[in-house]
Amino acid sequence: MAKHPPQHGTPATRSEEQDLVAGAAALLQRSGESTTVTLAAVDRMNRGLGTGFELITAWTAVTVTDHGREVRVLSAAPTGISMRAVAVLMKTVDALGDRVGGRRELAAALTEAGRVRPANFWLFVLACATGSAALAIIFGAEDATAVLLAAGSAALGGVVRRLLVRAHVGPVGQVFAAAFLAGIIGGLAVQADLSSALRLIAVCPAMVLVPGPHILNGALDLISLRIPLGFARLGYAALLLLAIGTGLALALALSGTDLPTNPPGRTVPFWLDFVAAGVAAASYPVYFSMPYRLIVWPVVVGALAHGIRWWAMTVWGWDIAVGAFLACVFVGAVLAPVAHRFHIPFAGIGFAAVVSLVPGVFVFRAVDALGSLPFGGAVPQLLGAISDGTTAVLIVMAMAAGLIIPMQIYALFTRTLRL
């Protein structure tokens, strides 16, 4: 495509251009894009518009300044993930950085991206069901009844979450309610002798609620020394995890059961593990509003990554954290260029590929064990909580490092090519 100067119907004022840049930055942050990419997007818009605006990011808002003379502050709490909105806007931002198009194109793309809506209600519910069922298989479900109950529980949880959105209930309330429902159904399954010691009917529907992209974006901010925003993102993710774990533990307690501290593990055949990981990876892009044509990437890469972890743990005898690290290095190396090429948040597509590695079950068991201590819990429960909590932290750190290292290397490589 031939480059041409920006097209303007009428001369743009500096104030109008600042409004556009601020609006684009706010939409990117709200939609789950990393801070590094958002800052780079502002630089590209400056290049195309001939401006020199500066972006300052925070948890609740973005601030765009014009050398201290004019300030625009827009609300932009990064609590959502919408990869389709990011893709729509970033395509135009990149073209603008190459001086293809101008202010009108940016305004049109910002309007179009703002109109992007979450996935269809029933498609979202179906994705909740398939994601939970796939995780149940990966974690060792032995019969179809457990898999179907885990799927049905997650589907009902998806319905509850969407209804709560319409009632203007926030994300914390949504995940608490869905996890509480999963705990009730899981507890009833235990009473009916339909659940094994792994409690997968309760745990797997809660696993689909884990806020992985927020954890990854928070880690990226900390590595880039954006300390306040990084800790804010991680604090939000921790709050969601606490709400999920609390809802699940309360419901199980009401049902007269709990999550066992050290349930017996089960080995899943390689082919079944491989296929289920692909199904789980296909479900999560729906939650994050990924363009459907791109879902093949996390599906294939996620299945291969889970195969790498299975091989590392089963054949080589490495521990779960090392296996997760190797799998995530592979995912980061493959999907960092894909995210850049198709203008979608790496945190979303990366987490979709590695969701089956997330140690949510360890977090939930730790919360459940700690919750039992004031009501007669003993030393084994405390030790179990410490063990599960430590294992979860180590796995999350290994996953974050595995995803971030290839991404940082790729970013350095692309910056070097531009010089």
Side-chain angles (χ1 to χ4, degrees), residues 18-30:
Q18 190 173 6
D19 288 338
L20 279 177
V21 173
L27 185 140
L28 290 174
Q29 179 158 299
R30 286 196 305 266

Side-chain angles (χ1 to χ4, degrees), residues 56-249:
I56 303 171
T57 57
W59 170 253
T60 57
V62 296
T63 301
V64 174
T65 69
D66 186 6
H67 302 290
R69 294 192 296 270
E70 296 285 340
V71 177
R72 295 290 186 277
V73 181
L74 294 183
S75 174
T79 57
I81 303 290
S82 179
M83 290 195 275
R84 187 177 289 111
V86 171
V88 168
L89 181 58
M90 284 299 294
K91 182 178 180 180
T92 298
V93 167
D94 283 353
L96 185 60
D98 293 332
R99 293 182 171 82
V100 179
R103 177 174 57 93
R104 284 189 304 180
E105 288 79 7
L106 179 59
L110 187 56
T111 299
E112 182 183 355
R115 290 174 178 164
V116 170
R117 293 293 176 261
N120 171 273
F121 182 96
W122 295 112
L123 182 60
F124 176 80
V125 171
L126 177 62
C128 290
T130 55
S132 179
L135 292 175
I137 293 171
I138 290 169
F139 293 142
E142 294 183 318
D143 59 78
T145 301
V147 174
L148 290 174
L149 284 173
S153 175
L156 289 175
V159 171
V160 168
R161 289 164 66 191
R162 280 298 179 89
L163 292 178
L164 290 176
V165 169
R166 295 179 182 180
H168 305 291
V169 175
V172 176
Q174 294 170 34
V175 298
F176 176 86
F180 186 86
L181 176 63
I184 291 295
I185 294 174
L188 293 175
V190 171
Q191 300 300 328
D193 200 26
L194 297 174
S195 178
S196 69
L198 294 173
R199 304 290 191 265
L200 296 177
I201 297 171
V203 168
C204 292
M207 281 286 294
V208 302
L209 309 172
V210 172
H214 301 295
I215 297 173
L216 183 54
N217 275 334
L220 286 169
D221 279 330
L222 290 182
I223 287 175
S224 300
L225 299 183
R226 288 182 283 268
I227 305 299
L229 181 55
F231 275 119
R233 289 185 190 269
L234 292 178
Y236 174 68
L239 180 61
L240 291 178
L241 284 173
L242 182 60
I244 297 166
T246 302
L248 186 62

Side-chain angles (χ1 to χ4, degrees), residues 244-341:
I244 297 166
T246 302
L248 186 62
L250 284 176
L252 288 173
L254 289 174
S255 304
T257 187
D258 58 11
L259 297 178
T261 304
N262 293 301
R266 293 176 185 164
T267 300
V268 180
F270 178 82
W271 69 269
L272 187 59
D273 189 80
F274 185 88
V275 172
V279 173
S283 303
Y284 274 74
V286 177
Y287 312 152
F288 306 148
S289 298
M290 178 187 286
Y292 297 134
R293 71 183 187 281
L294 302 180
I295 288 180
V296 65
W297 283 102
V299 170
V300 174
V301 174
L304 291 172
H306 212 268
I308 290 172
R309 192 191 75 152
W310 186 96
W311 193 269
M313 293 176 60
T314 305
V315 179
W316 296 335
W318 292 355
D319 67 40
I320 189 171
V322 177
F325 174 77
L326 289 177
C328 289
V329 167
F330 169 75
V331 170
V334 176
L335 293 185
V338 172
H340 180 266
R341 168 65 179 82

